[in-house]
Every structure is written in C-alpha cells, then in structure tokens.
Amino acid sequence: YCDANNLDVNPEMDTGTGVVDFKFSVGAKARVIVELKLSDNPKVVAGYEKQLETYKKSEKTTKGVYVVIDIGRLGKKDKQLLKIKNDRGARGESVSDIVFVDGSIRRSASKL
C-alpha cells in the first residue's frame, strides 16, 4: 500500500536533533512529524513547545501532531498545551495538532 501510494512511514527516526517517534511523508513534499508522550512525563509541555518544533525544522515541515497518552498525573498540562497552541495560532505561527488519548486500563468487555 505504501509503495503504491508513494507513502513513507519511519518510526523512531533520527532527525539529527534527536529521535522523533514517527515521520510520515508522501514523496518529498508532504511530511508530518508525530511525537508521543505519556501524561506522567514531566516534559510534556516542553515536548510540544520546543522538541516537536525542533524536529519540524530539522525535517523542513510545518506539520506536526503531538499525542499525549493520558495514563494519569496529567494535572494542568492539558490546559498549558492548549494555551500554547492557541497563543501561537493567534500570532499566526505554525500550529501543530494536539491529540489526547485515554490510556487508562479498563476491564475487557468479555470479562464484565
């Protein structure tokens, strides 16, 4: 599928400034950087504010997705992330998407 559609998927790729979790590209023109963080990581906010931006510059793209997997201890980090995103957007800067994923452990439906 990837070959037929000129798609390239690179997990844990070294950008020269660090290892990004994923890079997706269509040819050489359209690139998206995806960075994942667990909610209990103390660098969740800095990861969006600085790390993702550095990876985007290294890969010469303005497109990024920041995925926060909420496993607890998120605190106010979600509000901080959204404020940074909204402030950047208001200034007309490149804004990466933020996706929050519920990573809580649940009982299997077959065991309910």
Short mmCIF file of all heavy atoms in Angstrom, two decimals, residues 1 13 26 46 48 50 52 55 67-68 71 73 76 82 84 102 107 111-112:
data_model
loop_
_atom_site.label_atom_id
_atom_site.label_comp_id
_atom_site.label_asym_id
_atom_site.label_seq_id
_atom_site.Cartn_x
_atom_site.Cartn_y
_atom_site.Cartn_z
N TYR A 1 0.83 -1.18 0.00
CA TYR A 1 0.00 0.00 0.00
C TYR A 1 0.88 1.25 0.00
O TYR A 1 0.62 2.20 -0.72
CB TYR A 1 -0.95 0.00 1.19
CG TYR A 1 -1.84 1.22 1.23
CD1 TYR A 1 -3.02 1.25 0.51
CD2 TYR A 1 -1.49 2.34 1.97
CE1 TYR A 1 -3.83 2.39 0.52
CE2 TYR A 1 -2.29 3.46 1.99
CZ TYR A 1 -3.46 3.49 1.26
OH TYR A 1 -4.25 4.61 1.28
N MET A 13 12.89 7.76 14.03
CA MET A 13 13.85 8.24 13.06
C MET A 13 14.70 9.36 13.65
O MET A 13 14.18 10.25 14.30
CB MET A 13 13.11 8.76 11.83
CG MET A 13 14.00 9.01 10.66
SD MET A 13 13.10 9.87 9.39
CE MET A 13 13.52 11.53 9.83
N VAL A 26 4.62 11.83 2.09
CA VAL A 26 4.14 11.49 0.75
C VAL A 26 5.14 12.15 -0.18
O VAL A 26 5.16 13.38 -0.30
CB VAL A 26 2.72 12.01 0.49
CG1 VAL A 26 2.29 11.67 -0.93
CG2 VAL A 26 1.74 11.45 1.50
N ALA A 46 7.11 20.98 27.51
CA ALA A 46 8.32 21.31 26.76
C ALA A 46 8.42 20.50 25.48
O ALA A 46 8.94 20.99 24.47
CB ALA A 46 9.56 21.09 27.63
N TYR A 48 6.02 19.66 23.48
CA TYR A 48 5.22 20.33 22.46
C TYR A 48 5.84 21.67 22.08
O TYR A 48 5.99 22.01 20.90
CB TYR A 48 3.79 20.56 22.95
CG TYR A 48 2.91 21.27 21.94
CD1 TYR A 48 2.42 20.59 20.84
CD2 TYR A 48 2.59 22.61 22.08
CE1 TYR A 48 1.62 21.23 19.90
CE2 TYR A 48 1.79 23.26 21.16
CZ TYR A 48 1.31 22.56 20.06
OH TYR A 48 0.53 23.20 19.13
N LYS A 50 8.94 22.92 22.48
CA LYS A 50 10.30 23.00 21.94
C LYS A 50 10.69 21.80 21.09
O LYS A 50 11.16 21.94 19.96
CB LYS A 50 11.30 23.17 23.08
CG LYS A 50 11.08 24.44 23.86
CD LYS A 50 11.98 24.52 25.08
CE LYS A 50 11.60 25.74 25.91
NZ LYS A 50 12.18 25.71 27.21
N LEU A 52 9.05 19.21 19.55
CA LEU A 52 8.34 18.99 18.29
C LEU A 52 8.73 20.05 17.27
O LEU A 52 8.94 19.74 16.09
CB LEU A 52 6.83 18.97 18.52
CG LEU A 52 5.97 18.70 17.30
CD1 LEU A 52 6.26 17.32 16.71
CD2 LEU A 52 4.49 18.81 17.65
N TYR A 55 12.12 19.24 15.79
CA TYR A 55 12.02 18.14 14.83
C TYR A 55 11.41 18.63 13.51
O TYR A 55 11.84 18.24 12.43
CB TYR A 55 11.18 17.00 15.38
CG TYR A 55 11.79 16.25 16.54
CD1 TYR A 55 10.99 15.53 17.42
CD2 TYR A 55 13.16 16.24 16.78
CE1 TYR A 55 11.54 14.83 18.49
CE2 TYR A 55 13.71 15.56 17.85
CZ TYR A 55 12.89 14.85 18.69
OH TYR A 55 13.43 14.15 19.73
N VAL A 67 0.87 13.76 20.40
CA VAL A 67 -0.07 12.83 21.01
C VAL A 67 0.30 12.64 22.48
O VAL A 67 1.41 12.23 22.80
CB VAL A 67 -0.05 11.46 20.28
CG1 VAL A 67 -1.03 10.49 20.93
CG2 VAL A 67 -0.35 11.63 18.80
N VAL A 68 -0.65 12.97 23.35
CA VAL A 68 -0.46 12.79 24.79
C VAL A 68 -1.36 11.62 25.22
O VAL A 68 -2.58 11.69 25.07
CB VAL A 68 -0.83 14.06 25.59
CG1 VAL A 68 -0.66 13.81 27.08
CG2 VAL A 68 0.02 15.23 25.13
N ILE A 71 -2.31 8.60 31.05
CA ILE A 71 -2.26 7.45 31.96
C ILE A 71 -2.33 7.91 33.41
O ILE A 71 -2.03 7.16 34.32
CB ILE A 71 -0.99 6.59 31.73
CG1 ILE A 71 0.26 7.42 31.96
CG2 ILE A 71 -1.01 5.97 30.35
CD1 ILE A 71 1.54 6.61 32.05
N ARG A 73 -1.92 11.58 36.20
CA ARG A 73 -0.98 12.63 36.57
C ARG A 73 -0.80 13.67 35.46
O ARG A 73 0.27 14.24 35.30
CB ARG A 73 0.36 12.03 36.99
CG ARG A 73 0.21 11.19 38.25
CD ARG A 73 1.42 10.66 38.91
NE ARG A 73 2.71 11.08 38.39
CZ ARG A 73 3.76 10.27 38.32
NH1 ARG A 73 3.66 9.02 38.69
NH2 ARG A 73 4.91 10.71 37.87
N LYS A 76 -2.51 19.97 35.09
CA LYS A 76 -2.95 21.09 34.26
C LYS A 76 -2.16 21.16 32.95
O LYS A 76 -2.22 22.16 32.24
CB LYS A 76 -2.80 22.40 35.03
CG LYS A 76 -3.70 22.46 36.24
CD LYS A 76 -3.55 23.77 36.98
CE LYS A 76 -4.45 23.76 38.21
NZ LYS A 76 -4.35 24.98 38.98
N LEU A 82 -2.83 23.53 25.42
CA LEU A 82 -3.84 24.20 24.60
C LEU A 82 -3.63 25.71 24.58
O LEU A 82 -3.84 26.35 23.55
CB LEU A 82 -5.24 23.83 25.06
CG LEU A 82 -5.60 22.35 24.86
CD1 LEU A 82 -6.93 22.03 25.49
CD2 LEU A 82 -5.58 21.98 23.38
N ILE A 84 -0.68 27.25 24.80
CA ILE A 84 0.46 27.46 23.89
C ILE A 84 0.00 27.38 22.45
O ILE A 84 0.32 28.24 21.62
CB ILE A 84 1.58 26.44 24.17
CG1 ILE A 84 2.21 26.69 25.53
CG2 ILE A 84 2.64 26.48 23.06
CD1 ILE A 84 3.07 25.55 26.05
N ASP A 102 -7.07 8.57 25.81
CA ASP A 102 -7.33 7.97 27.12
C ASP A 102 -6.58 6.65 27.19
O ASP A 102 -6.92 5.69 26.51
CB ASP A 102 -8.83 7.75 27.30
CG ASP A 102 -9.18 7.16 28.67
OD1 ASP A 102 -8.26 6.85 29.46
OD2 ASP A 102 -10.38 7.02 28.94
N ARG A 107 -11.28 -2.93 32.15
CA ARG A 107 -11.56 -4.36 32.08
C ARG A 107 -12.05 -4.71 30.69
O ARG A 107 -12.79 -3.96 30.07
CB ARG A 107 -12.62 -4.75 33.09
CG ARG A 107 -12.05 -4.80 34.51
CD ARG A 107 -13.07 -5.28 35.49
NE ARG A 107 -13.33 -6.70 35.33
CZ ARG A 107 -14.31 -7.33 35.93
NH1 ARG A 107 -15.12 -6.68 36.73
NH2 ARG A 107 -14.47 -8.62 35.75
N LYS A 111 -14.90 -9.76 30.07
CA LYS A 111 -14.79 -10.11 31.49
C LYS A 111 -15.77 -9.33 32.37
O LYS A 111 -15.71 -9.45 33.57
CB LYS A 111 -13.37 -9.88 31.96
CG LYS A 111 -12.39 -10.78 31.23
CD LYS A 111 -11.03 -10.67 31.80
CE LYS A 111 -10.13 -11.61 30.99
NZ LYS A 111 -8.87 -11.82 31.56
N LEU A 112 -16.65 -8.53 31.75
CA LEU A 112 -17.61 -7.77 32.55
C LEU A 112 -18.77 -8.65 32.97
O LEU A 112 -19.13 -9.59 32.36
CB LEU A 112 -18.13 -6.58 31.74
CG LEU A 112 -17.09 -5.52 31.45
CD1 LEU A 112 -17.70 -4.42 30.60
CD2 LEU A 112 -16.57 -4.92 32.74
#
